Amino acid sequence: MPPSQRIERFIVGIPQLLVGTAIFVSIGINFANIVGRYLFDAPILWAEEILDYLMVWSVFLAAVLVTWQGRHIKMDLVSVLIPSPFREIVSAVTVAVFAAVCAFMVAQSWTVTHLAWTLDQRSVAAEIPMAFAHAGVLLGFAGMLLAVLLRLRQYLKNAFGSETEAVQKQVTETFGTFD
Amino acid sequence: MSWFVILFPLALLLLGFPIFVILLAASACLLMLFMHVPLAVAHQALFGALDKFSLLAVPFFLFAGEIMGVGGMSKRILDWCLSIIGGVRGAQGLTTIGASTVFGAISGSAPATVAAIGRFTYPTLRDAYGLKFATGIISATGAIDIMIPPSISMILYGAAAEQSVARLFIAGVLPGLLLALLNAIYVVYYARSRGIRDTQAVGWRSFFTATRRGAWSLGAPAVILGGIYGGIFSPTEAAGIACVYGILVTKFIYRDLTWKGLWSVGVNSMYVTAQIMIIVASAGVFSWILTVNGVPQAAVQMVQGLAEHPWTVLMVMNVFLLVVGCFIDPASAILILTPLLVPICKAYNIDLIHFGVIMALNLAIGMFHPPFGLNIFVVQALTRAPVAAIYLGVIPFVLLALVALVIVTYVPWISLFLTSFI
């Protein structure tokens, strides 16, 4: 397997597997909690807490996938009108700021995650280490930083298309065309 | 600092930066340049913004909407609507509106509603009414979905403005139905004035057949809304139940999905969830910084110096939100603007549930308002119709929606009447 495919498998395949599993596990926990509460008078006390942290992890792992595909929501109605070479310069600045923001958040998330680990903070109901919950954000921003750097060429060349094109692609892939 | 708060994000927005990057870049600069607090508050505010049980309804409703849209539920809802109103002139147009309204009670996404309903109604609409009208009505009726619960816009507004999602959901029902009614009146007028004959034979037999075939599809809104307002589930729990219901009906009863298809729906819904929720998290940091620096209070003072009456403020807000809605997607607009607009509403004693409905309606209009309404481009991609034709087709529906907006804005009863029952 070529290195590029191996990287893609790592940065796309693993998060896809995790977020796909997370949504079905979340649906299952939520359903079990409702059934437990109404049918057996035995709600799952840790359900809400675990669901919240699962969501944090899923959102930031899926954000890595969104970054890989260049599909973060933006308002590009004006920027698509910028002529070359200014558009490429704007793209370069965008990538630089994107990477800087991710690096900034990695640093801040590391501080909080490390502190929570050191103090052995735990959640109230499930008593899971809070360092684990916070680590989802840390891992997400680190993954996004990696994705931006690995897809640098596509970002600089605006290879992902406009926001409107992305939504058009998304709906036609799901529903086909009406012809 | 005030100028930096406004101009820096605006400049990045115009340059086409991702919205969450704009919010975090502005927050990081403000923290480093103007504030003397540990930078780790950025992580704390971001984590805190997501750590809300009510927001879990977003991924659940997105999943439920996607699974029900991909499967055959929308077709069965359409057939059921047609079995009721098939005998009326304008039946195909009315069925599109009716099905969008019912499907809106399942799906939380306007483009998904446009695609799910439009794929079945477009060929007959185009043949009976012509290309412009067909593409116009399909683009416009997707906006009803934003008003009819469950609505992702309402969930996000509820989280940002700290309002009850259940009250916001029910407050959107009558305005959504008003929008549908105005569209329906126009469709009947259009069909009669042009002598369009698109009726079909209906009777009790076809109605019972369509009801029997569509019972499981029609049960979805009953489960979601009945569960919430019957006091059985919270909106988040109802969203989770809608997912289980969608899986059972689509996979095991209608057998419209393979296991692989089901997995794809799960992964796809998480992509959309991440696109929205990372903005929720980033907006949490930005709005925290705005709040501790007294920016909302400064905005209130500025507005109070310019306008005396609530109706004037609401008029200005409507114009502002309509313009914003033409350029920015509803989720981003709600998350960025709510922390600034809610204190202004409080200062003028404007009910925050009523304002949530007004905001959602404005941004819903932006979804099909020329020249940049997203639904227009979704319909263009799906039908391959010229954009100019869709623009012309959508204009009457934009005008009708503006009439609905004026009524909803200045008759708060329409939004608040049903909230008095919960």
Side-chain angles (χ1 to χ4, degrees):
Chain A
M1 189 187 286
S4 61
Q5 271 188 15
R6 235 179 293 167
I7 291 169
E8 186 161 353
R9 198 171 177 182
F10 170 74
I11 207 159
V12 176
I14 295 173
Q16 263 188 356
L17 183 69
L18 291 174
V19 298
T21 308
I23 183 74
F24 288 105
V25 168
S26 299
I27 292 167
I29 292 174
N30 182 64
F31 186 67
N33 187 29
I34 295 167
V35 170
R37 185 165 68 227
Y38 289 108
L39 295 186
F40 304 106
D41 201 20
I44 304 169
L45 296 175
W46 46 262
E48 289 191 10
E49 223 170 55
I50 293 294
L51 286 171
D52 278 343
Y53 299 146
L54 260 177
M55 182 172 71
V56 172
W57 266 84
S58 321
V59 165
F60 280 94
L61 285 177
V64 178
L65 301 171
V66 175
T67 306
W68 182 261
Q69 295 193 349
R71 276 172 49 188
H72 280 292
I73 296 173
K74 52 187 181 287
M75 198 285 282
D76 56 6
L77 300 166
V78 180
S79 62
V80 292
L81 303 174
I82 300 172
S84 193
F86 300 107
R87 195 162 170 211
E88 283 72 26
I89 295 169
V90 168
S91 298
V93 176
T94 306
V95 174
V97 174
F98 196 149
V101 159
C102 288
F104 172 79
M105 287 309 301
V106 166
Q108 305 321 318
S109 299
W110 168 253
T111 305
V112 176
T113 307
H114 184 252
L115 189 68
W117 178 260
T118 312
L119 299 175
D120 193 27
Q121 282 183 344
R122 286 173 183 272
S123 66
V124 179
E127 293 189 1
I128 60 162
M130 285 306 292
F132 176 76
H134 289 290
V137 182
L138 173 66
L139 207 65
F141 278 108
M144 279 190 270
L145 180 59
L146 187 63
V148 167
L149 295 176
L150 289 170
R151 304 278 270 181
L152 194 59
R153 189 182 292 176
Q154 286 90 335
Y155 270 97
L156 291 176
K157 286 185 172 177
N158 294 304
F160 300 112
S162 69
E163 180 72 9
T164 306
E165 286 165 349
V167 177
Q168 287 178 322
K169 190 170 170 237
Q170 203 171 330
V171 288
T172 48
E173 274 175 3
T174 311
F175 295 98
T177 54
F178 297 169
D179 304 327
Chain B
M1 181 185 169
S2 304
W3 287 109
F4 183 87
V5 166
I6 297 165
L7 293 181
F8 183 69
L10 192 63
L12 298 190
L13 188 73
L14 291 174
L15 289 172
F17 280 55
I19 307 271
F20 95 93
V21 173
I22 297 172
L23 293 166
L24 287 181
S27 303
C29 290
L30 288 164
L31 282 169
M32 287 190 281
L33 299 176
F34 300 103
M35 297 172 73
H36 303 286
V37 290
L39 297 178
V41 293
H43 172 96
Q44 293 287 20
L46 182 132
F47 188 83
L50 276 191
D51 188 15
K52 289 176 183 163
F53 188 62
S54 64
L55 283 174
L56 203 63
V58 174
F60 284 165
F61 275 132
L62 285 171
F63 177 92
E66 182 137 356
I67 200 167
M68 294 180 195
V70 171
M73 279 191 163
S74 51
K75 175 77 174 99
R76 288 172 175 89
I77 289 170
L78 265 168
D79 290 342
W80 182 74
C81 290
L82 199 58
S83 76
I84 298 171
I85 46 183
V88 180
R89 192 175 278 188
Q92 296 297 338
L94 292 174
T95 302
T96 305
I97 296 165
S100 295
T101 308
V102 178
F103 195 73
I106 297 172
S107 165
S109 158
T113 302
V114 165
I117 301 297
R119 67 179 161 152
F120 297 115
T121 59
Y122 176 67
T124 42
L125 277 173
R126 183 190 53 199
D127 295 343
Y129 296 80
L131 183 75
K132 283 182 214 160
F133 186 92
T135 51
I137 191 172
I138 293 171
S139 306
T141 47
I144 297 171
D145 176 81
I146 293 181
M147 303 307 297
I148 298 287
S151 161
I152 301 296
S153 295
M154 299 288 194
I155 297 169
L156 296 177
Y157 174 82
E162 296 181 346
Q163 295 297 303
S164 154
V165 174
R167 281 169 64 83
L168 281 163
F169 273 2
I170 206 161
V173 171
L174 290 183
L177 292 178
L178 174 70
L179 192 58
L181 178 69
L182 291 175
N183 285 345
I185 291 169
Y186 174 67
V187 166
V188 173
Y189 164 77
Y190 187 92
R192 282 181 184 274
S193 64
R194 283 164 177 75
I196 294 167
R197 298 192 174 279
D198 62 343
T199 54
Q200 66 170 52
V202 291
W204 286 109
R205 190 175 216 174
S206 61
F207 172 70
F208 284 125
T209 306
T211 305
R212 186 173 48 77
R213 286 191 66 236
W216 287 104
S217 308
L218 296 166
V223 168
I224 296 169
L225 301 181
I228 296 172
Y229 298 109
I232 303 169
F233 319 129
S234 68
T236 305
E237 289 174 339
I241 290 290
C243 295
V244 175
Y245 189 90
I247 293 170
L248 289 177
V249 173
T250 313
K251 175 78 188 98
F252 297 106
I253 296 173
Y254 291 158
R255 295 167 194 255
D256 288 331
L257 267 183
T258 58
W259 286 110
K260 196 179 169 190
L262 183 63
W263 174 260
S264 295
V265 166
V267 174
N268 286 343
S269 69
M270 286 314 297
Y271 271 87
V272 184
T273 299
Q275 286 176 315
I276 296 173
M277 298 300 271
I278 197 152
I279 299 174
V280 173
S282 311
V285 186
F286 191 63
S287 67
W288 178 82
I289 291 172
L290 293 186
T291 307
V292 296
N293 285 291
V295 175
Q297 286 72 22
V300 170
Q301 281 176 357
M302 194 185 78
V303 173
Q304 279 179 327
L306 297 171
E308 196 179 334
H309 303 289
W311 70 268
T312 329
V313 175
L314 283 172
M315 190 173 70
V316 174
M317 281 188 184
N318 273 336
V319 174
F320 174 66
L321 288 169
L322 278 172
V323 173
V324 168
C326 288
F327 295 95
I328 306 177
D329 71 290
S332 309
I334 286 168
L335 293 164
I336 296 168
L337 296 176
T338 300
L340 289 172
L341 297 182
V342 159
I344 296 173
C345 291
K346 281 182 182 167
Y348 284 89
N349 288 323
I350 296 166
D351 188 283
L352 293 184
I353 297 287
H354 179 213
F355 181 68
V357 173
I358 293 171
M359 194 172 198
L361 183 52
N362 271 296
L363 299 172
I365 295 170
M367 290 293 283
F368 66 97
H369 194 301
F372 301 123
L374 185 61
N375 287 358
I376 292 173
F377 297 102
V378 168
V379 170
Q380 193 264 330
L382 293 165
T383 62
R384 302 187 193 286
V387 174
I390 308 176
Y391 282 169
L392 289 173
V394 92
I395 284 171
F397 295 99
V398 171
L399 296 175
L400 289 168
L402 291 176
V403 171
L405 176 64
V406 171
I407 296 171
V408 169
T409 302
Y410 293 111
V411 187
W413 179 88
I414 293 175
S415 307
L416 300 177
F417 172 66
L418 291 177
T419 61
S420 58
F421 293 100
I422 61 168

